């Protein structure tokens, strides 16, 4: 019996190392980690999704995406025959965006974000105060691998301007009730992870290791 191929796409600017604590039974699943690539000039999100989808070499794979990676795998599914699309800490359409995203789209405020600051996390860390903030910077330093201004400007614009309003039929949504980026009050029909923040792929890895296999295999998982 062949193993079920499961492709993982990390969040905005993150490397696949965010999945380092995720362990699926190796006799049942094959884990394949995807990475962000720099966008081409004037490349649309759909064009980018088509380009990344060519890295999928298995038939009927499971696609799992976190945050912006969740948005991307939904667009990739337009070019592939997939068995499931699972999104984590993400949104199924722009109707689930918080008000701040909608305001940013209307005012074009996203164009004013100082994305160049992300390129100098080490310098920002020097001016951080408090243990929690310093710990968060350490996480950023470890997991943010794409520190390219062109990519960041492109990615933020593509998130804010994402035009999907109809939810894909085969999307399974896992969301934390303490997500600070995409508040759960705006999210419809999801598996709720109690205490899960936007980075729960790291902090709630035990929950994912226990429940992802069930979700992929179509077994019942209750919200907790």
């Amino acid at each position: 019996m062949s193993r079920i191929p499961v492709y993982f796409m990390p969040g905005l600017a993150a490397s696949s190392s965010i999945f380092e604590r995720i362990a699926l039974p190796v006799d049942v699943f094959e884990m394949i980690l995807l990475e962000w690539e720099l966008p081409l000039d004037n490349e649309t999100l759909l064009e980018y999704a088509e380009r990344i989808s060519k890295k999928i070499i298995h038939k009927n794979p499971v696609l799992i995406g976190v945050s912006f990676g969740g948005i991307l795998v939904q667009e990739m599914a337009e070019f592939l025959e997939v068995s499931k699309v699972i999104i984590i800490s993400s949104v199924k359409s722009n109707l689930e965006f918080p008000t701040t995203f909608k305001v940013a789209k209307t005012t074009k405020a996203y164009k004013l974000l100082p994305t160049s600051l992300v390129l100098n996390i080490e310098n920002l860390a020097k001016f951080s105060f408090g243990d929690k903030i310093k710990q968060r910077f350490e996480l950023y330093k470890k997991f943010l691998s794409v520190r390219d201004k062109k990519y960041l400007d492109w990615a933020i614009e593509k998130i804010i301007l994402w035009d999907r309003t109809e939810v894909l039929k085969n999307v399974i949504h896992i969301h934390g009730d303490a997500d600070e980026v995409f508040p759960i009050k705006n999210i419809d029909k999801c598996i709720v992870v109690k205490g899960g923040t936007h980075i729960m792929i790291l902090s709630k890895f035990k929950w994912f290791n226990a429940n992802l296999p069930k979700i992929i295999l179509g077994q019942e998982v209750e919200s907790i």
Side-chain angles (χ1 to χ4, degrees):
M1 179 179 172
S2 59
R3 295 186 295 168
I4 298 171
V6 185
Y7 285 80
F8 288 81
M9 190 75 210
L12 175 69
S15 74
S16 63
S17 61
I18 68 167
F19 303 113
E20 66 183 14
R21 298 175 180 175
I22 302 301
L24 304 180
V26 295
D27 57 328
V28 181
F29 305 100
E30 179 180 356
M31 291 180 60
I32 305 100
L33 306 180
L34 298 170
E35 302 284 1
W36 290 103
E37 295 190 359
L38 297 183
L40 304 177
D41 290 342
N42 302 313
E43 191 170 27
T44 66
L45 180 59
L46 204 59
E47 289 169 343
Y48 187 90
E50 183 178 18
R51 183 156 63 91
I52 301 300
S53 69
K54 292 176 182 177
K55 296 183 177 297
I56 308 299
I57 60 174
H58 298 83
K59 292 183 178 179
N60 299 312
V62 175
L63 302 183
I64 297 181
V66 174
S67 193
F68 183 37
I71 290 175
L72 180 66
V73 296
Q74 290 175 78
E75 297 304 308
M76 288 170 62
E78 298 286 355
F79 304 98
L80 301 163
E81 291 289 335
V82 300
S83 62
K84 283 186 176 67
V85 174
I86 299 173
I87 64 172
I88 299 167
S89 308
S90 189
V91 288
K92 297 183 290 295
S93 77
N94 62 17
L95 302 178
E96 295 183 329
F97 278 162
T99 303
T100 51
F101 280 48
K102 297 170 183 176
V103 171
K105 179 179 180 180
T106 302
T107 62
K108 292 187 168 55
Y110 62 90
K111 291 180 178 291
L112 303 177
L113 290 173
T115 50
S116 57
L117 288 179
V118 180
L119 309 180
N120 295 291
I121 292 174
E122 288 79 4
N123 289 337
L124 284 174
K126 293 176 184 176
F127 299 99
S128 63
F129 298 96
D131 290 339
K132 283 190 176 181
I133 294 175
K134 288 180 179 178
Q135 288 172 8
R136 184 60 66 94
F137 272 121
E138 287 303 314
L139 281 177
Y140 288 158
K141 284 165 64 177
K142 179 175 181 180
F143 295 112
L144 289 189
S145 65
V146 189
R147 301 194 199 177
D148 181 274
K149 190 176 188 306
K150 177 183 176 182
Y151 163 83
L152 290 169
D153 289 339
W154 174 87
I156 290 169
E157 180 180 75
K158 295 307 177 246
I159 294 170
I160 298 297
L161 300 183
W162 193 41
D163 60 0
R164 180 174 293 281
T165 55
E166 291 190 13
V167 177
L168 292 178
K169 291 181 180 178
N170 60 346
V171 172
I172 297 169
H173 192 169
I174 306 172
H175 210 80
D177 65 359
D179 194 300
E180 63 277 21
V181 176
F182 299 122
I184 198 163
K185 66 180 181 180
N186 302 318
I187 304 299
D188 183 42
K189 296 178 182 178
C190 68
I191 298 169
V192 179
V193 179
K194 189 175 182 180
T197 64
H198 197 64
I199 58 171
M200 66 179 182
I201 194 66
L202 295 170
S203 59
K204 297 287 186 179
F205 70 93
K206 290 181 180 178
W207 184 93
F208 284 101
N209 288 341
N211 290 283
L212 265 184
K214 298 176 186 177
I215 294 169
I216 294 171
L217 295 172
Q219 299 169 358
E220 194 70 27
V221 176
E222 294 183 7
S223 295
I224 62 170

